[in-house]
């Protein structure tokens, strides 16, 4: 994933206006050092981010990503982002993306230790090639996330619904999944409910109904799942949010992990049990996800 461009952002206050948005951006060499050693994002993972899929230069679902950035900022007591400014940053780096699939990252860190303000930046890079995964699918194992389904209410400081930079646990879960011979994981709560994958949302199919775990604060509300549910409803399917017991995974007719850059990856095997993949239907979902979406 070669970085194509990087933009440092001097964050404006949420309601601040400017006639010269470009003056708040500084293009930097994506291969050169840009952060100071006092950065709290690198020292503590103290910050938030978004990954936006880009297809042929078109950034997908920008508003949903900006809304989630603002939600994460609120949960983490970070200053509210100026959405006009972040929208401008997305368009600026998207202009460097060119044909094919790319990924834009937006990062808002608490800043430098004892420093005056948050640090913010945006990057664009070419995306990995996920075309095989979208057709051949993935094997998934369930892994205990170690907290109960009501943890978000009793322990909001766990920041469970925020997309924070602290992804070490998510990456460790992926390594564990690989050790168990799978490609990916689905986290479960300690009291036996389905949560999400380390970098994706789970969608199950039961007949003509599509189900995803309720985003009740314990998981991220995925922008791809939101967009797919709109699309599925337009096609006449029923879409529902549910608190899903782990045992229900075994009775699903089909299942996918969905996310902004990999898009819809059909699950071929769940905890060693084969799941049916409807290749044609999955291709139609990915065709939709690859079409320009706002
Ligand atoms: N859940 C987690 C933990 C994630 O990291 C991600 C994406 O990175 C998702 C869900 C899916 O979110 P989105 O569809 O907005 O990419």
């Amino acid at each position: 994933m070669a970085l194509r461009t990087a933009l440092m952002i001097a964050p404006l206050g949420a309601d601040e206006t400017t006639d010269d948005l470009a003056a708040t951006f500084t293009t930097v060499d994506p291969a050169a050092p840009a952060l100071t050693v006092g950065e709290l994002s690198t020292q503590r993972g103290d910050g938030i981010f978004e990954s936006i899929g880009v297809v042929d230069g078109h950034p997908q679902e920008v508003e949903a990503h900006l809304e989630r950035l603002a939600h994460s900022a609120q949960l983490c007591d970070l200053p509210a982002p100026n959405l006009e400014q972040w929208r401008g940053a997305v368009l600026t780096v998207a202009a460097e993306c060119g044909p094919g699939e790319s990924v834009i990252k937006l990062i808002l860190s608490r800043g430098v230790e004892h420093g005056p303000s948050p640090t913010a930046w945006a990057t664009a890079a070419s995306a990995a090639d996920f075309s095989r995964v979208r057709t051949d699918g993935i094997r998934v194992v369930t892994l205990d996330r170690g907290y109960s389904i009501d943890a978000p209410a009793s322990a909001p400081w766990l920041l469970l619904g925020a997309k924070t930079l602290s992804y070490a646990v998510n990456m460790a879960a992926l390594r564990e999944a690989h050790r168990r011979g799978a490609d990916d994981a689905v986290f479960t709560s300690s009291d036996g409910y389905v949560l999400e994958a380390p970098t994706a949302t789970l969608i199950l199919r039961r007949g003509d109904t599509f189900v995803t775990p309720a985003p009740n604060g314990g998981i991220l509300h995925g922008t791809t799942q939101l967009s797919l549910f709109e699309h599925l409803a337009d096609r006449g399917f029923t879409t529902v949010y549910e608190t899903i017991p782990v045992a229900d995974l075994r009775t699903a007719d089909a299942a996918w992990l969905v996310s902004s850059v990999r898009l819809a990856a059909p699950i071929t095997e769940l905890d060693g049990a084969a799941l049916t993949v409807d290749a044609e239907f999955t291709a139609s979902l990915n065709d939709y996800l690859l079409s320009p979406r706002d």
Side-chain angles (χ1 to χ4, degrees):
M1 279 223 312
L3 279 183
R4 285 198 178 116
T5 188
L7 201 66
M8 299 306 295
I9 302 169
L12 295 171
D15 300 323
E16 217 173 315
T17 53
T18 173
D19 294 335
D20 192 3
L21 210 50
T24 68
F25 303 144
T26 309
T27 303
V28 295
D29 177 352
L35 300 176
T36 70
V37 289
E39 247 302 316
L40 292 170
S41 54
T42 53
Q43 285 191 26
R44 294 186 178 152
D46 194 354
I48 57 175
F49 77 107
E50 283 296 321
S51 295
I52 303 176
V54 183
V55 181
D56 295 332
H58 180 86
Q60 305 279 45
E61 301 288 353
V62 174
E63 292 312 309
H65 282 285
L66 293 182
E67 264 176 44
R68 192 170 61 190
L69 185 77
H71 181 62
S72 298
Q74 189 186 23
L75 290 175
C76 294
D77 300 315
L78 283 162
N82 182 305
L83 297 189
E84 191 55 38
Q85 185 183 33
W86 284 96
R87 205 173 283 123
V90 170
L91 295 181
T92 305
V93 294
E96 305 297 320
C97 284
E101 293 180 51
S102 308
V103 53
I104 289 176
K105 288 202 177 181
L106 308 180
I107 292 129
L108 175 61
S109 127
R110 202 169 299 280
V112 177
E113 198 160 19
H114 313 302
S117 64
T119 314
W121 69 98
T123 61
S126 47
D129 181 3
F130 288 117
S131 48
R132 288 287 300 276
V133 170
R134 290 171 195 156
T135 52
D136 296 358
I138 49 177
R139 291 157 303 165
V140 167
V141 286
T142 50
L143 295 179
D144 185 356
R145 185 68 177 79
Y147 57 73
S148 66
I149 195 86
D150 54 14
S154 59
W157 48 87
L158 294 181
L159 306 176
L160 294 173
K163 194 166 169 68
T164 75
L165 291 168
S166 312
Y167 261 50
V169 167
N170 304 42
M171 297 301 106
L174 282 181
R175 290 194 298 275
E176 180 60 23
H178 296 159
R179 272 193 289 272
R180 295 184 188 198
D183 306 299
D184 212 322
V186 167
F187 284 131
T188 59
S189 68
S190 54
D191 47 353
Y193 296 98
V194 180
L195 296 169
E196 63 186 344
T199 65
T201 311
L202 175 73
I203 296 180
L204 302 178
R205 180 172 190 169
R206 290 187 204 129
D208 282 343
T209 300
F210 290 79
V211 189
T212 198
N216 53 7
I219 59 172
L220 286 191
H221 198 171
T223 60
T224 315
Q225 170 268 310
L226 266 172
S227 180
L228 262 185
F229 267 26
E230 246 177 58
H231 169 71
L232 289 165
D234 286 347
R235 287 171 65 172
F237 294 107
T238 304
T239 59
V240 286
Y241 292 95
E242 271 181 21
T243 301
I244 305 172
V246 177
D248 283 14
L249 289 174
R250 262 173 261 133
T251 58
D253 294 321
W256 297 263
L257 292 186
V258 306
S259 53
S260 294
V261 183
R262 189 171 61 180
L263 304 181
I267 299 179
T268 58
E269 204 180 289
L270 224 160
D271 285 335
L275 263 179
T276 314
V277 171
D278 182 338
E280 205 177 316
F281 187 79
T282 299
S284 76
L285 298 183
N286 281 312
D287 284 348
Y288 163 71
L289 292 171
L290 285 165
S291 69
R293 293 176 290 126
D294 288 313

